[in-house]
Amino acid sequence: MGRLKGGPEAALFEQHNARLRPPFAVTELPEARGSPGEIRRREGAALLAALPEAALAVALDLGGEAPGSEALAALAARWEAAGKPLCFLIGGAEGLDEAVLARADHRLSLGPLTWPHFLVRGLLAEQWYRVQAIRSGHPYHRPWRP
């Protein structure tokens, strides 16, 4: 949700997205206005409308599973084997609506900390590059380091 303008968050995302094969395609949707519940409902409806019907949807959600990098690489292999387009759903400042979470095939957390939704793009792109490095045997990922 939201339109990412230039700045450090955009630079972080672009730095890692440029390394991805293929790079992430991003669909930006305008943030809604209103009460927190109304914002979640409106943004959720927009996310669901933009989601391809056959997509494997992964909701970025604080309550989701928080795998380590190697476990995320294993999940990525399972998702790829499903043969569906993979779509990550990142909500706005109010989070994701229950309808979006219900539609999601998987809920993924980047840990117990709350991250600004614009920063999540860069964090996800870095982790997806790491997933690709793990799966290809590239030395970018160093499993012996904390």
Side-chain angles (χ1 to χ4, degrees):
M1 294 307 308
R3 306 221 187 271
L4 184 58
K5 297 177 178 83
E9 295 92 347
L12 177 67
F13 174 75
E14 290 303 325
Q15 174 188 354
H16 292 290
N17 197 43
R19 297 176 179 176
L20 295 176
R21 296 295 173 258
F24 284 147
V26 177
T27 301
E28 293 184 324
L29 302 169
E31 293 176 313
R33 298 185 186 265
S35 69
E38 187 63 17
I39 290 170
R40 276 191 307 277
R41 188 191 66 70
R42 288 179 182 167
E43 291 180 351
L47 278 169
L48 292 174
L51 186 64
E53 193 172 310
L56 193 151
V58 178
L60 276 287
D61 180 57
L62 187 60
E65 178 183 358
S69 297
E70 290 89 357
L72 183 57
L75 276 172
R78 280 194 5 229
W79 295 338
E80 183 180 290
K84 298 178 176 183
L86 179 62
C87 295
F88 292 99
L89 305 172
I90 302 172
E94 298 300 335
L96 292 170
D97 187 63
E98 284 301 319
V100 174
L101 297 175
R103 164 57 181 92
D105 297 291
H106 195 91
R107 292 163 96 175
L108 179 67
S109 172
L110 296 179
L113 300 174
T114 302
W115 297 103
H117 61 287
F118 286 137
L119 189 53
V120 167
R121 287 187 198 183
L123 296 172
L124 180 60
E126 190 282 333
Q127 278 302 298
W128 206 250
Y129 177 70
R130 186 173 299 276
V131 159
Q132 290 181 348
I134 291 167
R135 292 183 66 201
S136 70
H138 187 280
Y140 177 79
H141 179 68
R142 295 173 178 90
W144 60 89
R145 294 190 59 203

